[in-house]
Amino acid sequence: MSSTADRRAEAIERIGKVRAEVEAKDAEKVAKAEAVKHRKRETKRRWAQNNPERAKVLQAKKNAKKNDRINARLASDPAYREERKAKRQEKYQESKDQLAAKRRARLEEVKAMRDKLTQLTTLTPTQVIMSAAQSGKARELTRIIYTGVDPGKSGAIASLDQDGTILKVSRFNQADTEGRIALIIGDHFAELEECIHAATIERVGAMPKQGLSSTFVFGRVYGEAWAGLVLSKARVSSVTPSTWQSDMRLPKKVEYAAHKRAIKAEAETRWSRTFTLDQVDAVWIAEWARLKGPWSRNATAGG
């Protein structure tokens, strides 16, 4: 019995070895065939790169022959014609379903964003503070940082604390790349503490005698500034230049350069530090937001 079992085990072992050798040879043959195919493809690719015009002609002939074969079969084989038609309809329906799904998903995203923006813009300051208190974040989220934005490639964004201390000023002087201003604003808010961010952007439009190209660029930059503020989850409002300059009792504009130098001098006197000409408007807008804006201390106290 033991000898029979031993012979059976030996036979099974030999069969296993033979099977392994056959599988190894088959795998080697497949690898060699794949290597040959790869070399042929590489040879054809290099030839096509060196002979682009000839390669186009040969490809066109190949496509024509393939189309002729397909057309001939379509004309002689009704079953094949129906099969091709069914495949085209299936592929078309699949593409249509995918496009519809993408549209539905995009509409849901837009709806969610619209609802979120509506909620952010309709809540009063008191409601936001009460909501923060109920969520256990009253200590962090009852503090308000006031931010002013002077949109434009020569503008800036500035943030003040509740007592008027300047926390951070970021210039837009390196915003030639499209989308750069939104990134500058996002980085600006990322370096500030978590709290309520009340942002005010200067509401401006196209200037008289401004060219179409410069008007388009300014509109793009203005939109980027709004996008950066909204994506940073700031409560955004806007103010006209005449309003914030009048409320801050700044010198009236007579000539542009002299006016900029005058409000720069006023800012340096008020905050005891130096500014560049492209920083001062943003700082004053932030100060207007702190004292006169919809999120000012008087507004939050009065609800």
Side-chain angles (χ1 to χ4, degrees):
M1 293 295 292
S2 60
S3 59
T4 303
D6 292 340
R7 287 195 298 272
R8 183 179 299 166
E10 290 176 0
I12 293 173
E13 184 178 356
R14 286 196 301 271
I15 292 171
K17 289 182 179 180
V18 171
R19 182 181 289 113
E21 291 176 358
V22 171
E23 290 177 352
K25 289 181 179 179
D26 290 342
E28 185 178 357
K29 287 181 181 179
V30 171
K32 287 182 178 180
E34 290 295 329
V36 171
K37 289 181 181 179
H38 179 71
R39 285 196 297 269
K40 287 182 178 180
R41 287 195 296 267
E42 286 296 314
T43 302
K44 288 181 179 179
R45 184 181 63 80
R46 287 194 296 269
W47 180 85
Q49 287 180 345
N50 296 328
N51 305 274
E53 297 298 329
R54 181 62 179 165
K56 289 181 180 179
V57 173
L58 291 179
Q59 186 62 39
K61 289 182 178 180
K62 183 178 179 180
N63 293 337
K65 288 182 180 180
K66 181 179 178 181
N67 291 333
D68 290 341
R69 289 196 303 269
I70 293 175
N71 291 333
R73 187 174 177 185
L74 287 173
S76 61
D77 190 349
Y80 179 71
R81 184 165 57 247
E82 293 298 325
E83 181 183 353
R84 293 271 299 185
K85 183 178 178 180
K87 286 183 178 180
R88 285 197 302 270
Q89 290 178 346
E90 182 180 355
K91 188 174 181 180
Y92 171 76
Q93 187 62 39
E94 183 179 354
S95 300
K96 188 176 178 181
D97 294 340
Q98 290 178 353
L99 181 60
K102 288 181 180 179
R103 286 177 176 173
R104 286 194 298 270
R106 181 57 182 162
L107 287 174
E108 290 295 329
E109 291 178 2
V110 172
K111 183 178 181 299
M113 184 177 295
R114 186 184 297 115
D115 293 342
K116 188 173 183 180
L117 290 176
T118 301
Q119 181 182 8
L120 288 175
T121 54
T122 54
L123 289 178
T124 65
T126 303
Q127 287 174 330
V128 172
I129 294 174
M130 291 296 294
S131 176
Q134 292 173 0
S135 64
K137 295 184 178 180
R139 183 176 181 181
E140 297 84 0
L141 295 184
T142 54
R143 179 189 176 195
I144 302 176
I145 290 179
Y146 299 92
T147 297
V149 178
D150 175 23
K153 295 168 66 175
S154 59
I157 175 173
S159 294
L160 307 181
D161 207 342
Q162 294 182 141
D163 60 359
T165 303
I166 296 177
L167 300 176
K168 184 174 178 60
V169 182
S170 302
R171 299 165 64 191
F172 296 153
N173 60 330
Q174 296 180 350
D176 291 332
T177 306
E178 293 185 359
R180 179 63 180 157
I181 285 182
L183 295 177
I184 292 174
I185 291 176
D187 292 341
H188 179 93
F189 279 104
E191 296 182 14
L192 300 175
E193 296 181 16
E194 182 183 1
C195 59
I196 298 173
H197 290 284
T200 301
I201 185 170
E202 189 176 54
R203 184 167 68 248
V204 292
M207 294 181 291
K209 299 182 180 180
Q210 189 175 17
L212 292 176
S213 177
S214 57
T215 301
F216 179 83
V217 171
F218 181 77
R220 172 181 64 79
V221 170
Y222 188 65
E224 287 179 14
W226 268 97
L229 292 173
V230 172
L231 293 176
S232 299
K233 299 181 180 180
R235 276 71 177 178
V236 189
S237 61
S238 62
V239 62
T240 61
S242 59
T243 299
W244 67 261
Q245 291 177 22
S246 174
D247 289 346
M248 293 292 100
R249 298 182 180 181
L250 296 174
K252 293 184 178 181
K253 182 176 180 182
V254 178
E255 191 269 331
Y256 179 78
H259 178 67
K260 291 286 285 188
R261 289 193 296 269
I263 63 174
K264 174 178 178 293
E266 291 279 348
E268 290 176 345
T269 301
R270 185 177 187 120
W271 281 280
S272 301
R273 55 168 287 180
T274 58
F275 296 99
T276 60
L277 288 174
D278 54 1
Q279 292 176 332
V280 290
D281 282 9
V283 174
W284 278 117
I285 294 169
E287 179 69 350
W288 178 89
R290 186 179 75 92
L291 299 177
K292 304 288 186 177
W295 285 81
S296 63
R297 289 174 297 178
N298 293 333
T300 55

